[in-house]
Amino acid sequence: MAPPIATFPASELPITSQTNLKGTKRKGFDGDLKACALLEMLQYDCRIEEPGRRDSPVRCWPVERLFRRCRDQEGSFMVETTAWERGEKGKKD
């Protein structure tokens, strides 16, 4: 079983991304995710329509995931920003 992972609102991602895996503040990164390169990955969510039937069709739907590749003094790191990006699109500048 995977260890529990702390959850937080997408709006806190710029603050949370300033902490590295060791729990210390990243040096050389101020949390400006918009300055990081935007990357996209397309995955698929597939379901068997009737699991009890041997010849049941499988239906798949695309799932878009967004990431930012950022840099700090130790090198580059990736942050999944899918929920954050969607929340940003709904805000007016």
Side-chain angles (χ1 to χ4, degrees), residues 43-57:
Q43 292 182 308
Y44 290 89
D45 178 19
C46 298
R47 308 272 167 94
I48 300 172
E49 283 192 358
E50 296 177 48
R53 267 188 42 209
R54 190 175 178 148
D55 62 344
S56 179

Side-chain angles (χ1 to χ4, degrees), residues 28-45:
F29 178 69
D30 63 359
D32 183 11
L33 293 171
K34 294 224 182 253
C36 303
L38 179 62
L39 305 169
E40 176 183 5
M41 178 173 68
L42 196 59
Q43 292 182 308
Y44 290 89
D45 178 19

